[in-house]
Amino acid sequence: MRFRSIWRSGLRPLVLAALAGVSACGDPPAAPPPPVPTLAVTCPANLQIEDVVGQTSVVTFAQPATTGGTPPTTVTCQPASGSPFPLGPTTVTCTARDTGNRTASCAFSVNLVPVPVISATRFMAFGDSLTSGEVQLSTGANLMAVDPEVAYPTVVLKELQARYKSQTITMSNRGQSGESAVDGAARLSGVLAAEQPQVLIVLQGIIDLSQGRASAIPSVIEALKFDIRDAKRRGVEHVFVSTLLPQKPGFNAFAIDLVVPANAEIRHLVAVEGARLLDGYAALAGQEATLIGADGLHPVAAGYDVLGKYYAAELIKVLDVPQGASLSRIGPLFVRPNVEVGAQPPRPPVRLRHR
């Protein structure tokens, strides 16, 4: 009993103090572990993939980067890199997980844009010198030359090829300088049989007005009517007829006052016959000073460029295949190989005409 009293009253505190002294003189107590840095994951930037052929495409993307956490860290993404993705936007969600079972997530978008597709690929332009691409060689002489490289059919072809990279687009330029609409109607049947286009573009009639004045308007309309009906009989899927182009005073401008009334008749004809109108007059009207050459009739190169781009835009409105539509009639698609920038095709020889 006396020992317990001594222990409680004095010995116990002394023993505890001694033990504490031993601890103080030995190794210090272990420090608490440092905090684990917060786990974070960073996804790649949003992806947009153009000109996808088909309904799906395999997409690969960079592995998301991680920081913090307790290594090693694993990252999984849904859908995974290397998976087939459907057309349109898809959200990819990626989750990082470390050995401490901590998680972090991020997301990004993969958008597959389908390749543009056109429902027809064989085009033919038919008409007179405005189709063949006649330009004035110099402002000081009445010397005209056919330059197919600046002609509107060439511009149309380049515009279509630039958009429809997965298809082979062809354009036949069957313009014949100096030809009237009446003579053109006689020539068209043989040309259609030889070319078998899916799409026909007709710009003709100004020669008739230049030679016959107002009395020639009915014959122009009859000739264009024949063109439309003959093309349809021969299986041409789309017939486009252009209004006549505006003129300005010059040595070849003989029907400035007749273009507007003739165009009114052309618009009516196209509507009645179920063809499609290309309003070439509206595309150039008001810009004659800069887009029509000194001869008053033919566009300069910039004018043909404006005309061709307008025609191409109108063709695209009609012939572009909506996303998701059946491609059974289009035929196989392919990816056009890259073309070296700056490469130019050889220019065809220039044919001279003296007015």
Side-chain angles (χ1 to χ4, degrees):
M1 294 295 292
R2 188 165 177 233
F3 176 76
R4 286 188 200 157
S5 175
I6 294 172
W7 172 258
R8 290 175 182 162
S9 62
L11 186 58
R12 183 173 181 273
L14 292 174
V15 172
L16 292 178
L19 292 175
V22 171
S23 176
C25 294
D27 294 335
V36 177
T38 302
L39 178 63
V41 60
T42 303
C43 279
N46 293 337
L47 294 177
Q48 178 157 302
I49 302 173
E50 307 281 348
D51 297 340
V52 176
V53 177
Q55 296 300 308
T56 63
S57 182
V58 172
V59 177
T60 58
F61 48 83
Q63 178 82 348
T66 62
T67 58
T70 304
T73 302
T74 60
V75 179
T76 57
C77 296
Q78 291 295 333
S81 177
S83 301
F85 280 66
L87 293 176
T90 299
T91 299
V92 179
T93 302
C94 298
T95 301
R97 186 181 301 274
D98 70 359
T99 55
N101 210 31
R102 302 173 185 86
T103 61
S105 298
C106 64
F108 65 102
S109 174
V110 175
N111 186 26
L112 269 59
V113 181
V115 61
V117 176
I118 193 169
S119 62
T121 57
R122 301 191 309 275
F123 293 78
M124 188 180 85
F126 187 84
D128 49 37
S129 58
L130 295 172
T131 296
S132 62
E134 202 163 294
V135 292
Q136 189 176 1
L137 285 184
S138 68
T139 57
N142 298 350
L143 191 62
M144 306 298 296
V146 171
D147 187 353
E149 275 300 297
V150 304
Y152 84 75
T154 302
V155 177
V156 171
L157 177 61
K158 290 179 179 178
E159 291 292 303
L160 297 180
Q161 287 177 336
R163 175 171 174 80
Y164 302 106
K165 299 182 180 70
S166 66
Q167 295 171 275
T168 301
I169 311 294
T170 62
M171 170 69 78
S172 175
N173 185 338
R174 298 308 297 262
Q176 185 164 302
S177 296
E179 181 179 73
S180 67
V182 173
D183 291 339
R187 180 171 66 98
L188 180 62
S189 295
V191 173
L192 290 175
E195 300 287 347
Q196 297 185 349
Q198 294 171 290
V199 180
L200 172 66
I201 303 170
V202 180
L203 169 57
Q204 203 161 37
I206 197 62
I207 300 297
D208 307 70
L209 302 187
S210 299
Q211 295 174 347
R213 301 292 297 162
S215 62
I217 292 179
S219 60
V220 168
I221 299 305
E222 285 301 313
L224 294 177
K225 180 191 297 184
F226 175 86
D227 293 345
I228 295 170
R229 294 182 177 182
D230 190 38
K232 288 183 176 181
R233 281 195 300 267
R234 295 177 182 277
V236 177
E237 297 172 18
H238 303 276
V239 181
F240 292 82
V241 179
S242 176
T243 53
L244 303 178
L245 307 185
Q247 297 185 357
K248 70 179 185 181
F251 59 86
N252 271 331
F254 303 117
I256 297 176
D257 57 327
L258 299 176
V259 170
V260 170
N263 281 341
E265 296 295 325
I266 291 173
R267 291 187 180 94
H268 178 72
L269 169 72
V270 169
V272 170
E273 292 296 321
R276 295 190 179 273
L277 183 72
L278 294 174
D279 202 343
Y281 179 90
L284 302 184
Q287 306 175 79
E288 294 89 343
T290 56
L291 299 185
I292 302 297
D295 77 325
L297 173 62
H298 297 88
V300 296
Y304 282 122
D305 187 68
V306 170
L307 184 66
K309 288 178 177 177
Y310 160 74
Y311 283 166
E314 293 300 303
L315 294 172
I316 289 170
K317 289 179 184 178
V318 175
L319 303 176
D320 200 67
V321 177
Q323 180 179 343
S326 172
L327 303 181
S328 59
R329 296 179 63 247
I330 307 303
L333 304 180
F334 70 95
V335 177
R336 186 182 301 278
N338 291 332
V339 179
E340 182 182 354
V341 176
Q344 296 293 331
R347 290 170 65 90
V350 173
R351 181 162 58 87
L352 302 180
R353 300 181 66 237
H354 195 283
R355 292 297 183 94

mmCIF file of all heavy atoms in Angstrom, residues 162-186:
data_model
loop_
_atom_site.group_PDB
_atom_site.id
_atom_site.type_symbol
_atom_site.label_atom_id
_atom_site.label_comp_id
_atom_site.label_asym_id
_atom_site.label_seq_id
_atom_site.Cartn_x
_atom_site.Cartn_y
_atom_site.Cartn_z
ATOM 1 N N ALA A 162 -12.598 22.171 -106.629
ATOM 2 C CA ALA A 162 -12.121 22.596 -105.315
ATOM 3 C C ALA A 162 -13.058 22.146 -104.204
ATOM 4 O O ALA A 162 -12.622 21.864 -103.088
ATOM 5 C CB ALA A 162 -11.955 24.111 -105.286
ATOM 6 N N ARG A 163 -14.333 22.065 -104.512
ATOM 7 C CA ARG A 163 -15.307 21.663 -103.481
ATOM 8 C C ARG A 163 -15.470 20.149 -103.422
ATOM 9 O O ARG A 163 -15.502 19.566 -102.325
ATOM 10 C CB ARG A 163 -16.663 22.319 -103.749
ATOM 11 C CG ARG A 163 -17.749 21.859 -102.790
ATOM 12 C CD ARG A 163 -19.025 22.671 -102.927
ATOM 13 N NE ARG A 163 -20.102 22.129 -102.114
ATOM 14 C CZ ARG A 163 -20.233 22.339 -100.798
ATOM 15 N NH1 ARG A 163 -19.359 23.073 -100.158
ATOM 16 N NH2 ARG A 163 -21.245 21.811 -100.128
ATOM 17 N N TYR A 164 -15.571 19.495 -104.574
ATOM 18 C CA TYR A 164 -15.879 18.059 -104.607
ATOM 19 C C TYR A 164 -14.596 17.273 -104.857
ATOM 20 O O TYR A 164 -14.379 16.723 -105.933
ATOM 21 C CB TYR A 164 -16.943 17.786 -105.668
ATOM 22 C CG TYR A 164 -18.204 18.574 -105.432
ATOM 23 C CD1 TYR A 164 -18.520 19.680 -106.233
ATOM 24 C CD2 TYR A 164 -19.070 18.251 -104.393
ATOM 25 C CE1 TYR A 164 -19.664 20.422 -106.006
ATOM 26 C CE2 TYR A 164 -20.217 18.990 -104.157
ATOM 27 C CZ TYR A 164 -20.515 20.074 -104.965
ATOM 28 O OH TYR A 164 -21.637 20.805 -104.732
ATOM 29 N N LYS A 165 -13.763 17.209 -103.815
ATOM 30 C CA LYS A 165 -12.434 16.618 -103.946
ATOM 31 C C LYS A 165 -12.473 15.104 -104.103
ATOM 32 O O LYS A 165 -11.497 14.496 -104.532
ATOM 33 C CB LYS A 165 -11.580 16.984 -102.731
ATOM 34 C CG LYS A 165 -11.346 18.475 -102.538
ATOM 35 C CD LYS A 165 -10.457 18.724 -101.332
ATOM 36 C CE LYS A 165 -10.192 20.208 -101.108
ATOM 37 N NZ LYS A 165 -11.400 20.911 -100.646
ATOM 38 N N SER A 166 -13.562 14.468 -103.737
ATOM 39 C CA SER A 166 -13.636 13.013 -103.787
ATOM 40 C C SER A 166 -14.233 12.501 -105.093
ATOM 41 O O SER A 166 -14.412 11.294 -105.253
ATOM 42 C CB SER A 166 -14.474 12.496 -102.618
ATOM 43 O OG SER A 166 -15.824 12.910 -102.767
ATOM 44 N N GLN A 167 -14.537 13.386 -106.023
ATOM 45 C CA GLN A 167 -15.165 12.975 -107.281
ATOM 46 C C GLN A 167 -14.387 13.539 -108.468
ATOM 47 O O GLN A 167 -13.696 14.552 -108.356
ATOM 48 C CB GLN A 167 -16.620 13.462 -107.336
ATOM 49 C CG GLN A 167 -17.517 12.831 -106.285
ATOM 50 C CD GLN A 167 -18.881 13.501 -106.239
ATOM 51 O OE1 GLN A 167 -19.053 14.520 -105.579
ATOM 52 N NE2 GLN A 167 -19.847 12.939 -106.941
ATOM 53 N N THR A 168 -14.529 12.867 -109.600
ATOM 54 C CA THR A 168 -13.919 13.339 -110.835
ATOM 55 C C THR A 168 -14.936 14.191 -111.585
ATOM 56 O O THR A 168 -15.938 13.673 -112.083
ATOM 57 C CB THR A 168 -13.472 12.166 -111.719
ATOM 58 O OG1 THR A 168 -12.531 11.370 -110.993
ATOM 59 C CG2 THR A 168 -12.815 12.670 -112.995
ATOM 60 N N ILE A 169 -14.685 15.490 -111.637
ATOM 61 C CA ILE A 169 -15.584 16.421 -112.316
ATOM 62 C C ILE A 169 -14.980 16.754 -113.679
ATOM 63 O O ILE A 169 -13.800 17.082 -113.778
ATOM 64 C CB ILE A 169 -15.765 17.724 -111.511
ATOM 65 C CG1 ILE A 169 -16.099 17.418 -110.035
ATOM 66 C CG2 ILE A 169 -16.834 18.604 -112.145
ATOM 67 C CD1 ILE A 169 -17.411 16.758 -109.820
ATOM 68 N N THR A 170 -15.798 16.676 -114.714
ATOM 69 C CA THR A 170 -15.339 17.042 -116.054
ATOM 70 C C THR A 170 -16.225 18.144 -116.612
ATOM 71 O O THR A 170 -17.416 18.222 -116.303
ATOM 72 C CB THR A 170 -15.352 15.841 -117.012
ATOM 73 O OG1 THR A 170 -16.702 15.353 -117.150
ATOM 74 C CG2 THR A 170 -14.468 14.717 -116.489
ATOM 75 N N MET A 171 -15.625 18.992 -117.441
ATOM 76 C CA MET A 171 -16.351 20.077 -118.106
ATOM 77 C C MET A 171 -15.884 20.147 -119.550
ATOM 78 O O MET A 171 -14.693 20.326 -119.827
ATOM 79 C CB MET A 171 -16.079 21.409 -117.407
ATOM 80 C CG MET A 171 -16.584 22.636 -118.154
ATOM 81 S SD MET A 171 -18.390 22.774 -118.230
ATOM 82 C CE MET A 171 -18.731 23.382 -116.571
ATOM 83 N N SER A 172 -16.809 20.002 -120.455
ATOM 84 C CA SER A 172 -16.509 20.132 -121.877
ATOM 85 C C SER A 172 -16.958 21.520 -122.343
ATOM 86 O O SER A 172 -18.116 21.891 -122.166
ATOM 87 C CB SER A 172 -17.240 19.052 -122.678
ATOM 88 O OG SER A 172 -17.053 19.243 -124.061
ATOM 89 N N ASN A 173 -16.023 22.272 -122.911
ATOM 90 C CA ASN A 173 -16.342 23.603 -123.433
ATOM 91 C C ASN A 173 -16.622 23.467 -124.924
ATOM 92 O O ASN A 173 -15.712 23.299 -125.732
ATOM 93 C CB ASN A 173 -15.184 24.565 -123.198
ATOM 94 C CG ASN A 173 -15.512 25.999 -123.620
ATOM 95 O OD1 ASN A 173 -16.407 26.234 -124.429
ATOM 96 N ND2 ASN A 173 -14.775 26.945 -123.080
ATOM 97 N N ARG A 174 -17.889 23.553 -125.303
ATOM 98 C CA ARG A 174 -18.293 23.441 -126.709
ATOM 99 C C ARG A 174 -18.829 24.771 -127.220
ATOM 100 O O ARG A 174 -19.808 24.823 -127.963
ATOM 101 C CB ARG A 174 -19.309 22.319 -126.880
ATOM 102 C CG ARG A 174 -18.785 20.939 -126.502
ATOM 103 C CD ARG A 174 -17.472 20.574 -127.180
ATOM 104 N NE ARG A 174 -17.628 20.508 -128.612
ATOM 105 C CZ ARG A 174 -17.818 19.380 -129.309
ATOM 106 N NH1 ARG A 174 -17.862 18.216 -128.677
ATOM 107 N NH2 ARG A 174 -17.935 19.399 -130.613
ATOM 108 N N GLY A 175 -18.154 25.836 -126.825
ATOM 109 C CA GLY A 175 -18.481 27.139 -127.386
ATOM 110 C C GLY A 175 -17.872 27.288 -128.778
ATOM 111 O O GLY A 175 -16.755 26.834 -129.026
ATOM 112 N N GLN A 176 -18.590 27.951 -129.654
ATOM 113 C CA GLN A 176 -18.113 28.162 -131.033
ATOM 114 C C GLN A 176 -18.303 29.640 -131.385
ATOM 115 O O GLN A 176 -19.422 30.125 -131.499
ATOM 116 C CB GLN A 176 -18.872 27.265 -132.016
ATOM 117 C CG GLN A 176 -18.345 27.341 -133.434
ATOM 118 C CD GLN A 176 -18.832 26.196 -134.285
ATOM 119 O OE1 GLN A 176 -18.611 25.027 -133.963
ATOM 120 N NE2 GLN A 176 -19.515 26.502 -135.381
ATOM 121 N N SER A 177 -17.196 30.314 -131.553
ATOM 122 C CA SER A 177 -17.242 31.756 -131.795
ATOM 123 C C SER A 177 -18.030 32.085 -133.056
ATOM 124 O O SER A 177 -17.919 31.407 -134.082
ATOM 125 C CB SER A 177 -15.815 32.299 -131.917
ATOM 126 O OG SER A 177 -15.120 32.145 -130.704
ATOM 127 N N GLY A 178 -18.838 33.145 -132.953
ATOM 128 C CA GLY A 178 -19.599 33.628 -134.104
ATOM 129 C C GLY A 178 -20.861 32.853 -134.411
ATOM 130 O O GLY A 178 -21.532 33.149 -135.407
ATOM 131 N N GLU A 179 -21.237 31.899 -133.560
ATOM 132 C CA GLU A 179 -22.393 31.055 -133.857
ATOM 133 C C GLU A 179 -23.675 31.660 -133.301
ATOM 134 O O GLU A 179 -23.730 32.084 -132.139
ATOM 135 C CB GLU A 179 -22.177 29.663 -133.267
ATOM 136 C CG GLU A 179 -23.317 28.686 -133.552
ATOM 137 C CD GLU A 179 -23.037 27.326 -132.961
ATOM 138 O OE1 GLU A 179 -23.120 27.203 -131.708
ATOM 139 O OE2 GLU A 179 -22.735 26.393 -133.719
ATOM 140 N N SER A 180 -24.712 31.671 -134.100
ATOM 141 C CA SER A 180 -26.019 32.138 -133.647
ATOM 142 C C SER A 180 -26.727 31.038 -132.876
ATOM 143 O O SER A 180 -26.339 29.858 -132.934
ATOM 144 C CB SER A 180 -26.874 32.547 -134.847
ATOM 145 O OG SER A 180 -27.192 31.401 -135.630
ATOM 146 N N ALA A 181 -27.779 31.396 -132.154
ATOM 147 C CA ALA A 181 -28.570 30.399 -131.448
ATOM 148 C C ALA A 181 -29.241 29.439 -132.407
ATOM 149 O O ALA A 181 -29.376 28.241 -132.124
ATOM 150 C CB ALA A 181 -29.616 31.090 -130.566
ATOM 151 N N VAL A 182 -29.663 29.954 -133.562
ATOM 152 C CA VAL A 182 -30.293 29.095 -134.574
ATOM 153 C C VAL A 182 -29.299 28.060 -135.076
ATOM 154 O O VAL A 182 -29.622 26.857 -135.177
ATOM 155 C CB VAL A 182 -30.838 29.950 -135.727
ATOM 156 C CG1 VAL A 182 -31.348 29.055 -136.852
ATOM 157 C CG2 VAL A 182 -31.960 30.866 -135.233
ATOM 158 N N ASP A 183 -28.089 28.481 -135.401
ATOM 159 C CA ASP A 183 -27.074 27.524 -135.853
ATOM 160 C C ASP A 183 -26.662 26.592 -134.719
ATOM 161 O O ASP A 183 -26.356 25.415 -134.949
ATOM 162 C CB ASP A 183 -25.850 28.263 -136.379
ATOM 163 C CG ASP A 183 -26.127 28.989 -137.687
ATOM 164 O OD1 ASP A 183 -27.098 28.608 -138.381
ATOM 165 O OD2 ASP A 183 -25.386 29.943 -138.003
ATOM 166 N N GLY A 184 -26.660 27.103 -133.506
ATOM 167 C CA GLY A 184 -26.319 26.260 -132.369
ATOM 168 C C GLY A 184 -27.305 25.128 -132.170
ATOM 169 O O GLY A 184 -26.914 24.009 -131.825
ATOM 170 N N ALA A 185 -28.584 25.413 -132.381
ATOM 171 C CA ALA A 185 -29.598 24.368 -132.241
ATOM 172 C C ALA A 185 -29.360 23.237 -133.234
ATOM 173 O O ALA A 185 -29.597 22.065 -132.919
ATOM 174 C CB ALA A 185 -30.993 24.969 -132.427
ATOM 175 N N ALA A 186 -28.882 23.590 -134.428
ATOM 176 C CA ALA A 186 -28.581 22.561 -135.418
ATOM 177 C C ALA A 186 -27.343 21.740 -135.025
ATOM 178 O O ALA A 186 -27.231 20.563 -135.376
ATOM 179 C CB ALA A 186 -28.367 23.206 -136.779
#
